[in-house]
Amino acid sequence: MFDKVLVANRGEIAVRVMRACEDLGIDTVAVYSEADRHGGHVRFADEAYNVGPARAAASYLDGEAIVDAARRADADAIHPGYGFLAENADFAERVRDAEGITWVGPDPGPMRSLGEKTKARSIMEAADVPIVPGTTEPVDDPETVREFGDEYGYPVAIKAEGGGGGRGMKVVRSADEAADQLESAKREGEAYFSNDSVYLERYLENPRHIEVQIVADEHGNVRHLGERDCSLQRRHQKVIEEGPSPALSDELREEIGEAARDGVREAGYTNAGTVEFLVEEDPDREPGELLGPETNFYFLEVNTRIQVEHTVTEELTDIDIVKEQLRIAAGAEIGFSQDEVELEGHAIEFRINAENAAEEFQPANEGSLDVYDPPGGIGVRVDDALRQGDELVTDYDSMIAKLIVYGSDREECLARSARALKEYDIEGVVTIVPFHRLMVTDDEAFVGGTHTTKYLDERADKDAIAAAQEEYGTGDASTGGDDEEVTEREFTVEVDGKRFEVALEERGAPEIPTPDAGGGGGGRDRPDVATSDDDGGEEVAVGDGETVEAEMQGTILSVDVEVGDEVAPGDVVCVLEAMKMENDVTADMGGTVTEVPVGEGDSVDMGDVLLVLE
């Protein structure tokens, strides 16, 4: 087994991997950007190394800096977590080529093949795994998109070769959209995955998203650990995941699980991974009815890494998947047979994101955890890295934590989830906890298990979501109706022996001083880290005129106008990447462009001027 593992990631997944290492007696090394110099994963690790500025491309995505940190720390393995470099075959190869360092992940060859979606489709086809009708060669011409739509019908999905989680995917609903959506998909693919190659698939209108966890070793053993249902999504980003699926019969479950095993075996894949499928839902299915073995299901993609929602499978099987990854990377053989894998009970994972579900899940731009008190009790697990008093880091994603709840069956799991979510006390940052509370108690489609991947975007009750946010939400410091300072004071009042919690808001009152909550890191001292308040930015002077400003923090992917151009209201002037999503920035008014103070690749904060119009 390894002596020291560097975790090439941040936040809760870095802490999750470090905990598994500690269980195995392995020392841990963190890497951090300037934005994360006080991050929870830095506090938790035995050592920590700065790998660059806040921008991910210059820190967490800098493979050379990561490997250099591993050498400096004398680490003998690198675990990538998920996201960032986790599915980058070139980085895996770089680690493999570094003397004395082991890559905790799949071989670069199968990783590269399965990461390129057209090759993955060919591999699955060879293994007799059902695939959605689509192309097996990259597409460059809008006319190819139109011809595909004429043959198979609209809508058509354009997908980036290296994409995942909805990034790099665009939906074409008519021939008129082909050119624009093709260009956008290629641009996202290049921005996120350094690969602008795209392919086409028939777009299924009402699917369920089912994924199968697999582990495979270098001795030819392949096991599946059951499925997870990830159908509750917004804009192709998962929000709630659960297992087993409330929609699958045992026969269909076994068919999908064996298809996953066949596919990764054909690819020569090792370590942990997830095979994702789309399952055609019966729109007339009633709650409690199950989809039988005659149901169509299709291969979607393979995630060549551990998943955010791996915790669901761990609760159902009592198998520590991260430990399995480490053991397999060290050359060990899987110690259990397929027949010994049993799914017991039911588990649900809730992503505790700093987002406002009532505002189309808009992410928070700033804030601090003034109060952070996660739930506990039997069947409740919280994976996190932040602690009370920590500032929210919004440079990368919106996740604060993951809440995982286990029950003997789905009914008990839903009831326990409602209790745990009610206990989850977070103040200072807006979160989607109110949305989750709505889903597990009052949303008929989710409670009945009849929701599909389109449910949140097309059918969910927006008024009910807004009402839940109003009733249960705490808001955040960055949203307010006026400039007058508002102080909230909380009191415990007893009337006739009954206890009441009362919150009062005072405008213009001084804040009540409170002791410094500190960062708290599980009893650990913070490792020595380098600090700097200089991000190397320069102030940009902006002239007179109407301005177009950034509505959120992010990175400029492209600037679509130049000085002297005429723009009309609604024209796209630039594309801003924020929270892993591509956002078109449009002009509210028409005019002539007089200044463009930003360029491609620039990082911007909320309120920064992107454009000046006259």
Side-chain angles (χ1 to χ4, degrees):
M1 186 48 71
F2 308 113
D3 293 319
K4 186 184 290 187
V5 172
L6 181 145
V7 183
N9 218 293
R10 64 178 297 277
E12 59 82 21
I13 185 55
V15 173
R16 165 73 187 94
V17 174
M18 290 171 188
R19 284 177 171 148
C21 289
E22 286 225 339
D23 287 351
L24 294 171
I26 301 171
D27 290 340
T28 57
V29 181
V31 292
Y32 65 95
S33 72
E34 283 296 326
D36 271 334
R37 58 185 180 267
H38 299 309
H41 70 293
V42 178
R43 293 193 294 258
F44 196 94
D46 296 304
E47 301 175 49
Y49 292 81
N50 187 321
V51 290
R55 188 166 175 248
S59 53
Y60 294 114
L61 291 173
D62 186 340
E64 184 176 352
I66 299 291
V67 173
D68 181 61
R71 288 197 186 98
R72 290 160 59 198
D74 199 24
D76 50 2
I78 292 178
H79 191 302
Y82 51 70
F84 294 129
L85 293 168
E87 293 182 278
N88 188 311
D90 291 339
F91 177 65
E93 214 153 45
R94 181 194 290 269
V95 175
R96 285 275 174 114
D97 292 343
E99 186 177 352
I101 303 177
T102 299
W103 168 249
V104 184
D107 288 335
M111 187 180 184
R112 187 173 280 113
S113 297
L114 292 174
E116 295 181 12
K117 300 304 189 290
T118 52
K119 289 184 180 179
R121 286 169 59 86
S122 298
I123 292 170
M124 293 298 156
E125 196 169 28
D128 292 326
V129 177
I131 61 174
V132 179
T135 61
T136 54
E137 295 296 328
V139 173
D140 291 308
D141 184 5
E143 187 57 34
T144 305
V145 181
R146 299 184 190 102
E147 290 172 356
F148 186 88
D150 291 341
E151 181 176 356
Y152 294 103
Y154 290 97
V156 174
I158 306 177
K159 295 187 173 184
E161 286 272 15
R167 295 185 295 279
M169 186 183 86
K170 299 297 175 183
V171 179
V172 182
R173 299 195 175 275
S174 69
D176 294 341
E177 298 179 2
D180 287 344
Q181 296 291 54
L182 177 62
E183 181 184 352
S184 182
K186 289 172 71 68
R187 185 171 63 231
E188 271 197 21
E190 178 63 35
Y192 288 117
F193 314 107
S194 300
N195 182 357
D196 70 351
S197 182
V198 299
Y199 65 102
L200 308 179
E201 277 186 358
R202 183 166 72 90
Y203 187 67
L204 302 180
E205 287 286 12
N206 288 294
R208 298 192 72 88
H209 185 131
I210 304 295
E211 61 185 31
V212 178
Q213 177 71 56
I214 62 94
V215 289
D217 61 29
E218 297 173 0
H219 306 278
N221 299 302
V222 181
R223 308 283 185 260
H224 79 74
L225 308 184
E227 92 284 0
R228 300 182 290 256
D229 193 317
C230 305
S231 300
L232 199 74
Q233 306 177 4
R234 47 93 175 117
R235 291 177 292 174
H236 308 288
Q237 296 290 311
K238 301 167 187 174
V239 183
I240 298 176
E241 302 99 344
E242 64 180 309
S245 170
L248 304 189
S249 62
D250 288 340
E251 296 85 357
L252 182 57
R253 173 174 294 112
E254 187 60 26
E255 278 189 35
I256 296 174
E258 286 305 310
R261 290 182 76 193
D262 292 343
V264 297
R265 189 182 288 114
E266 178 74 24
Y269 186 88
T270 56
N271 214 269
T274 301
V275 187
E276 302 196 346
F277 296 91
L278 295 178
V279 177
E280 286 195 355
E281 176 63 282
D282 177 0
D284 298 323
R285 186 174 65 86
E286 296 292 329
E289 293 182 12
L290 299 176
L291 299 171
E294 73 286 351
T295 303
N296 291 327
F297 66 91
Y298 304 101
F299 168 74
L300 177 61
E301 64 184 0
V302 177
N303 286 293
T304 56
R305 54 171 168 78
I306 199 165
Q307 292 273 85
V308 176
E309 58 274 14
H310 73 276
T311 56
V312 169
T313 299
E314 291 180 330
E315 296 303 308
L316 298 177
T317 62
D318 201 28
I319 294 172
D320 187 320
I321 298 171
V322 177
K323 284 186 183 178
E324 290 299 317
Q325 286 189 288
L326 293 163
R327 293 187 182 111
I328 290 169
E333 190 170 354
I334 294 173
F336 52 88
S337 68
Q338 186 61 59
D339 290 341
E340 291 176 304
V341 177
E342 295 184 3
L343 305 184
E344 299 206 356
H346 199 91
I348 303 177
E349 177 183 279
F350 303 89
R351 300 192 185 199
I352 309 301
N353 296 340
E355 299 172 357
N356 188 337
E359 298 291 339
E360 299 294 328
F361 292 88
Q362 181 176 335
N365 292 289
E366 60 181 342
S368 64
L369 298 182
D370 300 334
V371 173
Y372 183 73
D373 188 8
I378 189 168
V380 175
R381 166 181 171 181
V382 177
D383 280 19
D384 58 16
L386 295 172
R387 293 293 179 265
Q388 185 162 302
D390 283 355
E391 292 289 329
L392 187 67
V393 176
T394 59
D395 297 76
Y396 310 108
D397 60 47
S398 59
M399 186 181 293
I400 296 173
K402 301 183 313 197
L403 170 65
I404 307 97
V405 181
Y406 175 84
S408 59
D409 54 29
R410 192 169 190 261
E411 183 179 5
E412 180 180 66
C413 191
L414 287 171
R416 186 168 286 164
S417 296
R419 184 265 294 171
L421 288 161
K422 184 178 180 181
E423 285 182 19
Y424 216 139
D425 190 5
I426 303 176
E427 294 183 19
V429 177
V430 67
T431 75
I432 59 172
V433 168
F435 164 82
H436 290 320
R437 293 180 66 174
L438 171 69
M439 288 295 109
V440 300
T441 56
D442 297 324
D443 190 273
E444 292 183 3
F446 181 77
V447 172
T450 60
H451 57 288
T452 69
T453 60
K454 309 296 179 62
Y455 176 67
L456 282 187
D457 292 331
E458 298 178 1
R459 293 176 46 217
D461 187 339
K462 300 296 194 297
D463 291 338
I465 293 173
Q469 186 67 40
E470 179 71 23
E471 182 174 359
Y472 305 128
T474 58
D476 74 71
S478 65
T479 58
D482 53 49
D483 295 331
E484 187 176 9
E485 184 176 352
V486 178
T487 300
E488 184 176 280
R489 305 181 192 269
E490 295 184 350
F491 302 91
T492 300
V493 181
E494 209 174 89
V495 180
D496 267 349
K498 185 174 181 179
R499 183 186 179 97
F500 296 90
E501 303 295 333
V502 180
L504 299 178
E505 286 188 353
E506 296 183 67
R507 296 185 179 273
E511 184 177 353
I512 298 176
T514 57
D516 183 7
R524 294 174 170 268
D525 294 327
R526 178 180 296 162
D528 291 334
V529 298
T531 61
S532 170
D533 292 325
D534 180 13
D535 16 356
E538 296 181 0
E539 293 188 6
V540 179
V542 177
D544 295 332
E546 296 294 331
T547 59
V548 177
E549 299 177 353
E551 295 184 355
M552 61 189 75
Q553 188 178 56
T555 301
I556 301 296
L557 291 184
S558 70
V559 178
D560 300 341
V561 295
E562 298 177 349
V563 173
D565 286 353
E566 296 288 333
V567 299
D571 283 354
V572 176
V573 296
C574 65
V575 179
L576 175 69
E577 180 272 322
M579 298 299 181
K580 301 181 181 179
M581 298 295 291
E582 181 178 312
N583 302 275
D584 289 339
V585 179
T586 59
D588 291 331
M589 60 170 290
T592 303
V593 178
T594 59
E595 287 187 52
V596 184
V598 296
E600 183 177 331
D602 287 352
S603 296
V604 297
D605 291 322
M606 182 176 65
D608 282 359
V609 175
L610 308 179
L611 197 73
V612 180
L613 294 173
E614 190 174 83

